[in-house]
Amino acid sequence: MAGAGDKKLVRSKSGLRMVCVNERFRSPFELEEPPWIPDNECLECMECHVRFDLMKRRHHCRRCGKCFCNVCCGNSIALPRMAFVDPVRVCGTCVPVTRKENEFFDKHIKVLMNGAHFLVSDDSIDENENETFLCKLTQDHRHISFEGGENAKHPPIQLDQITAVQIITSADETQGHIVGKGLTLKHKQQGQMTQSKLMVSESHNRKQSMTWLASMQKAMKMIHEARGDSES
Ligand SMILES: [Zn+2]
Ligand SMILES: [Zn+2]
């Protein structure tokens, strides 16, 4: 039987993709391939309106599935968000979006997986024994794990069970601007709605925790988008 993290190589008309054997275990950041606009519904480039013929061939953007000429869809870039193995053809509108997503995959996922220290409080921990944990995104991108608690343990939080994220801020007197202090996560744990508070721990690397918070905010945006939620 296939394990949770097992991946397989599949060939779609857009290219080779490396996807989870079991859909249930796929990364919450991953997007489905868009449906391609059928050739017979598209007689001209959707950007510059040049008509397609034997010389002017149509090309589909792998990010949005729309139909373009070679000039308007000439960029070939990596699209890890759809799990493509090789760079694929992307239209002019989708290039900046894809670059941003790639930055998330190159940079922010690594920040989240390296983890940072937070003072954690919620229903699963006794009110007066708030513990500091090393909070990390797991290898499969599906959970936040809590490591290194001295007196308490904390169950992992499943990312796709998070319904709301709020950054806790306060005015920094010395620097005169608003700084992030932590975040609250509303999520379902064993069928129950619960709220977890992760506060930046002053006794650990503060900068690392702040960076982690910023990356987490980006992560939640990506997840909302992948779910097709309109709220952000
Ligand atoms: Zn064109
Ligand atoms: Zn596109």
Side-chain angles (χ1 to χ4, degrees):
M1 215 182 98
D6 289 355
K7 300 219 167 182
K8 65 179 175 191
L9 206 54
V10 295
R11 181 181 291 280
S12 77
K13 60 186 175 211
S14 300
L16 272 180
R17 301 170 72 217
M18 187 62 104
V19 300
C20 273
V21 172
N22 188 334
E23 266 288 291
R24 229 156 51 80
F25 297 112
R26 80 170 187 183
S27 162
F29 305 121
E30 211 172 292
L31 287 181
E32 298 275 0
E33 277 184 72
W36 278 16
I37 290 195
D39 288 1
N40 59 5
E41 281 176 26
C42 198
L43 303 175
E44 55 175 45
C45 171
M46 294 174 81
E47 180 64 31
C48 72
H49 305 290
V50 68
R51 282 189 77 82
F52 297 126
D53 58 27
L54 278 177
M55 299 300 291
K56 272 277 172 216
R57 309 299 298 265
R58 52 169 73 72
H59 299 280
H60 283 89
C61 167
R62 270 55 175 177
R63 179 70 180 68
C64 67
K66 292 181 184 165
C67 225
F68 301 96
C69 73
N70 183 45
V71 178
C72 299
C73 197
N75 285 288
S76 191
I77 57 177
L79 193 36
R81 209 177 176 193
M82 286 179 192
F84 285 113
V85 175
D86 300 310
V88 288
R89 200 180 273 274
V90 174
C91 78
T93 309
C94 290
V95 165
V97 182
T98 309
R99 292 239 159 91
K100 250 201 164 137
E101 291 173 347
N102 290 359
E103 190 192 316
F104 177 78
F105 276 83
D106 291 342
K107 192 172 135 200
H108 298 288
I109 284 190
K110 282 184 191 128
V111 167
L112 291 171
M113 281 172 55
N114 284 337
H117 286 92
F118 291 95
L119 207 57
V120 179
S121 57
D122 59 24
D123 294 345
S124 58
I125 295 170
D126 199 332
E127 184 73 46
N128 33 21
E129 348 182 316
N130 289 354
E131 281 262 349
T132 302
F133 291 96
L134 177 62
C135 302
K136 275 180 170 180
L137 180 70
T138 53
Q139 201 83 37
D140 62 5
H141 304 167
R142 296 180 58 245
H143 299 90
I144 300 171
S145 66
F146 298 81
E147 296 176 6
E150 272 171 41
N151 308 303
K153 290 218 179 309
H154 195 288
I157 293 179
Q158 203 172 320
L159 285 192
D160 64 8
Q161 295 296 314
I162 298 175
T163 55
V165 179
Q166 200 165 13
I167 297 286
I168 304 162
T169 55
S170 74
D172 189 317
E173 305 293 330
T174 53
Q175 295 179 41
H177 57 78
I178 305 288
V179 291
K181 287 269 170 193
L183 87 174
T184 53
L185 299 169
K186 276 192 194 142
H187 58 102
K188 230 187 230 166
Q189 191 116 47
Q190 286 155 353
Q192 290 265 344
M193 278 314 287
T194 172
Q195 183 166 304
S196 302
K197 205 164 160 191
L198 278 62
M199 296 300 286
V200 172
S201 160
E202 298 297 334
S203 53
H204 290 82
N205 187 336
R206 197 164 166 274
K207 192 162 170 256
Q208 194 178 345
S209 301
M210 304 281 284
T211 310
W212 196 91
L213 280 184
S215 295
M216 193 62 204
Q217 240 180 327
K218 291 204 164 66
M220 290 316 298
K221 245 191 185 156
M222 299 277 278
I223 291 173
H224 276 302
E225 220 182 84
R227 283 180 193 158
D229 296 0
S230 49
E231 92 235 47
S232 60

